[in-house]
Amino acid sequence: MRPSLSSRGLWSRTKIGSLVATLALATLGVVLPAVGATPAAAAVEGPAGDAFYTPPSPLPAGNPGDVIWYRKQADSGNASSYLVLYRSQNALGQPNAVSGTIYVPKGKSPVGMPIVSLGSGTVGLGDGCAPSKNPLVSVAQNQGFIDKALAKGYAVTMTDYEGLGTPGVHTYVVGRSEGHAVLDIVRAAQRLPETGLSTANPVGLLGYSQGGGAAAWAGELQPSYAPELNLKAISAGGIPADLLAVSKQLDGGLGFAVLAMAALGLDAAYPELDLDSYLNANGKKFFGDFSDDCVESLIIYPFRKISDYTTTNPLNTVAWQTRLNEQKLGAVAPKVPTFMWHAWPIDELVARPQGVALKDTYCAAGAPIRWKDYLGEHATVIFTSQDDSVNFLADRFANKPFSRSC
């Protein structure tokens, strides 16, 4: 297995970061927790370096969103920055530890300050790709959203998701895992005394591509999983709402790496899927190496097919199709105003028709949906949608009138 990105040296990281920024390729997010948990009197400072990402074993007792430990980081512009390791839950409802970053604007009262929980776009699978570890990889997908929200005086939380930075394989595009992580880092921000934030602060969910799926899943889960959060609005674009539909475009297509990441992510979340049992010799080597790659894999492995690496296509089996269908959004229509968008006329990585189908499902349920098409392809829409998506949240925080576009 090749070394993780974090160990390949500054030159390699800089080269990859520049490549990612240039091409901007991003894609493809139970036990009911205690409500309104009281913030701790003090938070524990975590260890330096990579040891920060290794949680204590066993995990300390607590609830989803509790801060295990934190570390104050160098300020990010005019914002204080905190690295946190916090309790969350995996797709099966079992407790886990997830890392992430909290930004709080300096010089502003945290009382009533909106909190925007940003679901990261795709950064890859290797621990060295985690947004909190490697801003060079994260910048193209996420930095514009962060900067625009901070400029409006909002706190921003961004999870690394399960298995990025922390032990285990990243559960890429596994809805419940990602949704829990997006919600629980808001709780962590509210419970970290240094931020001054609380459950009274209004909350917005934001994300594009993988992050759009994570934000949408967080929106569907919030009423039952985190009902104490003062959720006001959701902005979610390029949503991988139906993984089976998305996979048909990716297999043999430009974004094959996305399909490979999803296969590893599902296998990590649901061990009974046993991806390794489907792999041929070429597949065992490929997936072993691939599991350490960052987002550069999107341009390294185009036009491959899952059949190149398997003896039997797992996507055609009942076990895999069952778990894939469990990731399908639309079962719980959002109650808060929700902005959805997609690249038009064709999205080469996240099939547009399945995104439109989710919008139609929500609209049919009477949900407060606004929809917009952005001329372009998947990568360019990361940038062209940023102002509208953050402004939509701003208008809802300001209680401006909302009209559906269903």
Side-chain angles (χ1 to χ4, degrees):
M1 185 177 292
R2 70 184 67 174
S4 66
L5 184 66
S6 60
S7 65
R8 296 179 194 169
L10 179 61
W11 180 88
S12 178
R13 293 197 302 270
T14 304
K15 181 180 179 183
I16 291 171
S18 175
L19 182 61
V20 173
T22 301
L23 299 178
L25 289 168
T27 74
L28 351 148
V30 174
V31 177
L32 190 66
V35 175
T38 302
V44 176
E45 291 194 31
D50 281 351
F52 185 94
Y53 294 86
T54 302
S57 181
L59 287 179
N63 297 304
D66 285 352
V67 177
I68 297 170
W69 54 51
Y70 84 105
R71 195 165 69 219
K72 178 73 170 64
Q73 302 189 114
D75 291 346
S76 176
N78 291 322
S80 297
S81 176
Y82 304 91
L83 179 64
V84 291
L85 187 73
Y86 62 97
R87 285 181 61 105
S88 189
Q89 289 185 357
N90 65 18
L92 301 175
Q94 300 164 339
N96 60 7
V98 180
S99 56
T101 309
I102 299 167
Y103 303 96
V104 182
K106 298 172 69 175
K108 297 181 181 295
S109 171
V111 177
M113 177 184 288
I115 304 170
V116 174
S117 194
L118 174 64
S120 171
T122 296
V123 295
L125 295 180
D127 284 340
C129 318
S132 70
K133 278 189 173 186
N134 198 331
L136 288 173
V137 169
S138 173
V139 63
Q141 294 90 323
N142 302 314
Q143 197 60 49
F145 294 107
I146 294 170
D147 290 344
K148 291 178 187 302
L150 289 174
K152 291 184 179 294
Y154 305 155
V156 177
T157 62
M158 182 168 63
T159 181
D160 289 332
Y161 301 124
E162 178 182 7
L164 266 179
T166 50
V169 176
H170 171 35
T171 50
Y172 182 73
V173 298
V174 175
R176 285 173 177 80
S177 170
E178 293 186 348
H180 293 158
V182 166
L183 294 169
D184 286 330
I185 196 170
V186 177
R187 288 167 154 163
Q190 294 168 341
R191 296 174 194 174
L192 183 65
E194 284 73 8
T195 69
L197 303 168
S198 75
T199 55
N201 292 76
V203 175
L205 306 175
L206 173 64
Y208 180 74
S209 196
Q210 180 189 6
W217 264 103
E220 291 203 7
L221 292 169
Q222 182 270 332
S224 59
Y225 182 76
E228 82 280 9
L229 297 185
N230 183 17
L231 184 61
K232 293 292 188 181
I234 303 167
S235 283
I239 302 171
D242 182 344
L243 296 190
L244 274 174
V246 172
S247 69
K248 293 176 182 178
Q249 176 175 294
L250 296 176
D251 196 17
L254 180 65
F256 171 77
V258 172
L259 180 59
M261 282 188 266
L264 283 167
L266 285 158
D267 183 64
Y270 309 108
E272 82 278 3
L273 293 181
D274 193 11
L275 175 63
D276 192 65
S277 68
Y278 295 89
L279 301 179
N280 58 28
N282 191 31
K284 292 179 189 294
K285 182 180 186 307
F286 170 78
F287 280 100
D289 292 343
F290 183 81
S291 63
D292 275 342
D293 283 347
C294 291
V295 73
E296 74 273 12
S297 61
L298 287 172
I299 56 174
I300 296 174
Y301 304 111
F303 309 118
R304 310 290 180 93
K305 297 181 72 69
I306 197 72
S307 58
D308 297 337
Y309 303 106
T310 58
T311 56
T312 302
N313 188 343
L315 301 181
N316 295 333
T317 66
V318 172
W320 277 79
Q321 289 189 0
T322 298
R323 289 302 193 185
L324 282 163
N325 281 324
E326 287 178 6
Q327 315 313 311
K328 188 172 182 178
L329 284 157
V332 180
K335 300 293 191 296
V336 299
T338 298
F339 176 45
M340 302 171 64
W341 71 93
H342 219 100
W344 180 87
I346 296 174
D347 187 321
E348 75 281 11
L349 295 180
V350 184
R352 184 176 181 276
Q354 56 86 47
V356 174
L358 177 64
K359 180 262 293 184
D360 291 343
T361 296
Y362 283 161
C363 285
I369 302 299
R370 183 172 299 166
W371 174 270
K372 185 172 180 178
D373 290 311
Y374 286 86
L375 181 63
E377 46 73 52
H378 191 84
T380 59
V381 172
I382 298 172
F383 304 100
T384 56
S385 65
Q386 286 175 357
D387 283 329
D388 286 346
S389 60
V390 175
N391 288 338
F392 180 86
L393 298 180
D395 287 347
R396 308 292 77 78
F397 291 144
N399 296 314
K400 291 186 178 180
F402 170 80
S403 58
R404 298 170 77 227
S405 61
C406 291

